[in-house]
Amino acid sequence: MVTQSQFSQIQFQAVLNNFAMLYNVMKAANFVDNAIVQLSNDGMKVIVEDAKSIQASAYITRACFSEFRLAIARPSSVADAPNNPDATLPFVSFGLNLKVFTDCLSMFTSGDYDSSLKLIQKGTGAPLIVILEQHGEDDLITECSVRTMDPFDCMELDFEDEQQIVSKLNVKGMEFFQLLSEMDRNCDEIEVIISPDAPHLIFHSFGELHSETSVEITNTSDMLITFNCTDASRNRYKFHHFRLAMRTLALASKVALRTNSEGLLGLQVMIENSDSSHIFVEYFILPLMSDGDQTTL
């Protein structure tokens, strides 16, 4: 048990009064065992990726925490950050077995208990201490120590180059989840066609025995909140990667969908927390290589 005298040695300490949604998001993102955790003054970011073809990043914003303390030195390169927009703000990074972390959270997620979560790390290489407290007639406290690892390399994927983005869509979360749920679950690939002309959005699945399913959506559909497309695009993806994202889409209130000229597909999922704060999960899905274009990822 962490004693009061040890708190002065702590680099990171945060409290979530209700961690049920965090547990659901971590469980949904646990399609691989190991994750990278990045701690910054903006909050907590958890990154997972599989086979260099799909990456998911869960952002637990600082507003989600009732208490958030992070003691990290500011390098001289960011000391003048207000005057240098290109300066990188500091963060703490470490590897974590996400399955072990999720198993710890699962201890107090069943039932109607009022439970809180405290996360503590003393410093580089130290384990992440998970303290679960169940409030009620019989207050229960469980402490787990999850070993951390050196951070590993992951893909650097983003949509920072606005000129490369060919489409931006905002869709209603539940409707988008239902659309994908109705696609052929046995299909191997899904083709996404986005065009400035009607039909503006097409999902075309390809399954076993040459079975195909197609859904067409116009920009007047109730599912679409906003629609912006500058150039038509047609890209295929593994449907398995969409299945992985659907674990989080089931919790979404809104989804931002973006594609760039290379076929990279981004899904930014907004999840509303019980206290009106938000958790964001961003997926990057790389397209399948086209037989006619060997430069496609």
Side-chain angles (χ1 to χ4, degrees):
M1 182 69 65
V2 178
T3 63
Q4 189 67 34
S5 62
Q6 292 175 303
F7 276 89
S8 60
Q9 308 168 13
I10 290 171
Q11 175 179 254
F12 168 65
Q13 176 182 329
V15 176
L16 273 170
N17 289 330
N18 187 332
F19 62 91
M21 188 57 73
L22 172 67
Y23 168 71
N24 290 332
V25 171
M26 293 297 99
K27 187 177 179 181
N30 188 202
F31 52 82
V32 292
D33 286 341
N34 294 327
I36 295 177
V37 177
Q38 293 180 351
L39 305 173
S40 71
N41 287 326
D42 292 329
M44 179 176 177
K45 180 179 178 181
V46 181
I47 307 169
V48 295
E49 66 177 38
D50 185 33
K52 299 296 183 182
S53 55
I54 179 173
Q55 182 183 97
S57 299
Y59 301 84
I60 302 89
T61 60
R62 187 168 184 149
C64 295
F65 298 91
S66 59
E67 179 182 334
F68 190 94
R69 300 177 186 174
L70 182 62
I72 51 178
R74 293 178 63 87
S76 57
S77 61
V78 299
D80 60 346
N83 302 318
N84 182 8
D86 295 326
T88 301
L89 295 177
F91 61 85
V92 173
S93 180
F94 56 86
L96 187 73
N97 188 303
L98 193 57
K99 184 179 186 306
V100 173
F101 178 62
T102 304
D103 287 345
C104 293
L105 298 182
S106 69
M107 294 181 184
F108 284 176
T109 53
S110 60
D112 297 326
Y113 304 113
D114 177 17
S115 303
S116 61
L117 165 69
K118 178 177 288 186
L119 300 173
I120 297 172
Q121 191 191 31
K122 291 185 178 180
T124 303
L128 180 66
I129 300 173
V130 180
I131 301 175
L132 304 166
E133 185 171 356
Q134 180 179 298
H135 310 285
E137 294 182 1
D138 299 319
D139 288 346
L140 298 176
I141 298 177
T142 299
E143 180 178 312
C144 305
S145 180
V146 184
R147 185 173 60 183
T148 61
M149 303 169 281
D150 291 335
F152 49 87
D153 293 333
C154 61
M155 299 181 290
E156 295 185 6
L157 303 172
D158 58 56
F159 287 100
E160 290 185 358
D161 189 350
E162 289 284 338
Q163 294 183 344
Q164 293 291 321
I165 299 176
V166 296
S167 59
K168 293 181 181 179
L169 291 72
N170 286 313
V171 301
K172 297 178 181 177
M174 184 52 63
E175 284 85 343
F176 187 50
F177 171 74
Q178 291 174 345
L179 181 149
L180 294 177
S181 299
E182 293 170 0
M183 304 292 287
D184 183 3
R185 286 301 187 95
N186 296 318
C187 72
D188 300 318
E189 300 176 4
I190 183 169
E191 185 175 62
V192 180
I193 303 171
I194 307 176
S195 172
D197 304 315
H200 302 92
L201 179 61
I202 301 175
F203 292 95
H204 196 169
S205 66
F206 302 86
E208 299 176 353
L209 302 177
H210 304 288
S211 62
E212 298 184 16
T213 304
S214 184
V215 178
E216 297 183 356
I217 302 169
T218 65
N219 60 2
T220 58
S221 169
D222 290 338
M223 186 184 79
L224 294 177
I225 302 172
T226 61
F227 180 90
N228 183 278
C229 178
T230 56
D231 294 302
S233 62
R234 178 193 296 259
N235 296 287
R236 282 199 189 192
Y237 308 88
K238 285 186 178 180
F239 194 69
H240 170 66
H241 294 152
F242 276 75
R243 292 193 193 99
L244 296 178
M246 285 172 65
R247 301 178 184 180
T248 305
L249 290 174
L251 309 171
S253 58
K254 184 170 69 173
V255 180
L257 187 154
R258 291 175 291 178
T259 59
N260 67 10
S261 57
E262 296 180 338
L264 179 66
L265 174 67
L267 299 173
Q268 188 180 72
V269 183
M270 186 176 76
I271 301 169
E272 293 182 358
N273 224 345
S274 58
D275 58 358
S276 298
S277 60
H278 296 93
I279 294 177
F280 296 90
V281 183
E282 187 164 28
Y283 290 88
F284 290 105
I285 303 176
L286 276 70
L288 295 171
M289 182 179 291
S290 170
D291 292 335
D293 183 4
Q294 294 301 317
T295 63
T296 304
L297 292 173

